[in-house]
Amino acid sequence: EAGVAQSPRYKIIEKRQSVAFWCNPISGHATLYWYQQILGQGPKLLIQFQNNGVVDDSQLPKDRFSAERLKGVDSTLKIQPAKLEDSAVYLCASSLTPNNSPLHFGNGTRLTVT
Amino acid sequence: GENVEQHPSTLSVQEGDSAVIKCTYSDSASNYFPWYKQELGKRPQLIIDIRSNVGEKKDQRIAVTLNKTAKHFSLHITETQPEDSAVYFCAASIGTGGFKTIFGAGTRLFVKA
């Protein structure tokens, strides 16, 4: 099966600029996740979708981050405006079921904010 | 609160020796515990998982044990090889129904040839 696709692979922006990341989950996976992984740390859940509805976004900095999954398949994560501390790898993952199911990760987008 | 603690943060072993990584969790309702391996610059990948109705699970050189009473679980790698060198993350599903997966901070494993 094709894996989780993410783009771009790398992005460098200046602080206060905007950036968007795209994710295409594994076909048939209704649950989609965006994680932030800061260097040397474990992945931190930003937002979780079930189809096109949000299941959890409790750790999403909503003043600057937004995400959508309009047709229940692809998803975009946006940061506007970016801060230096947003430098991280943004991982998209999908799973077959929303609970107690292994996550399949994409290769991630490495964001550097200067 | 929602928390998964992982130890040690770094582990160095000689090739052929065993490696053990331990995690504790705070949510007594957690019932799914996956382990992921992340090689440098690559995505995390599932290597083994265990559900709360099982105390131990083994897959070749990898095994995971779970103690629900003490709320801790461990990863055991036997006969380590240089290609086992990576960062390993434990995780736990939390909340009623296990709808959210929380990760530990990771253990960087070095296997010396």
Side-chain angles (χ1 to χ4, degrees):
Chain A
E1 67 181 5
V4 175
Q6 284 190 251
S7 67
R9 190 77 174 89
Y10 304 94
K11 190 74 176 177
I12 300 173
I13 62 172
E14 295 182 351
K15 59 184 179 183
R16 291 187 290 274
Q17 286 187 325
S18 302
V19 65
F21 313 126
W22 172 83
C23 174
N24 179 248
I26 292 173
S27 178
H29 282 195
T31 312
L32 184 147
Y33 315 76
W34 283 102
Y35 281 86
Q36 180 193 58
Q37 187 175 25
I38 292 172
L39 188 64
Q41 298 182 18
K44 170 188 162 186
L45 181 66
L46 293 176
I47 189 166
Q48 179 176 337
F49 292 94
Q50 179 63 20
N51 296 310
N52 60 351
V54 175
V55 174
D56 187 288
D57 63 358
S58 57
Q59 296 202 80
L60 187 73
K62 297 179 187 63
D63 58 332
R64 298 183 301 105
F65 287 63
S66 64
E68 59 183 14
R69 194 184 183 199
L70 291 177
K71 297 184 179 178
V73 181
D74 292 5
S75 176
T76 56
L77 175 69
K78 297 179 182 178
I79 307 175
Q80 181 181 8
K83 291 185 176 181
L84 295 176
E85 57 260 36
D86 297 334
S87 294
V89 175
Y90 290 84
L91 293 163
C92 180
S94 68
S95 64
L96 191 60
T97 62
N99 56 312
N100 304 332
S101 182
L103 273 57
H104 299 260
F105 286 91
N107 285 323
T109 296
R110 182 176 297 277
L111 174 68
T112 302
V113 182
T114 62
Chain B
E2 306 167 348
N3 201 28
V4 177
E5 298 282 344
Q6 182 170 350
H7 301 280
S9 57
T10 306
L11 179 59
S12 184
V13 300
Q14 202 66 38
E15 181 178 2
D17 287 350
S18 296
V20 180
I21 303 170
K22 299 181 179 181
C23 289
T24 59
Y25 59 97
S26 56
D27 187 352
S28 57
S30 296
N31 57 11
Y32 176 64
F33 307 90
W35 286 86
Y36 293 84
K37 175 183 181 182
Q38 187 174 31
E39 297 179 4
L40 189 62
K42 296 189 177 180
R43 72 185 81 180
Q45 291 191 293
L46 180 78
I47 54 171
I48 195 168
D49 57 9
I50 190 168
R51 288 177 169 78
S52 59
N53 57 344
V54 176
E56 183 174 356
K57 183 177 178 181
K58 191 173 181 179
D59 182 4
Q60 299 182 344
R61 298 186 296 108
I62 295 174
V64 58
T65 58
L66 171 65
N67 183 326
K68 282 219 74 178
T69 303
K71 291 193 282 188
H72 66 69
F73 56 114
S74 301
L75 178 72
H76 304 253
I77 306 174
T78 58
E79 301 171 28
T80 53
Q81 301 167 4
E83 50 265 38
D84 294 331
S85 297
V87 179
Y88 291 81
F89 293 98
C90 62
S93 64
I94 63 166
T96 302
F99 282 94
K100 189 171 173 179
T101 300
I102 298 296
F103 284 78
T107 297
R108 185 171 296 277
L109 174 65
F110 297 96
V111 180
K112 296 175 287 187

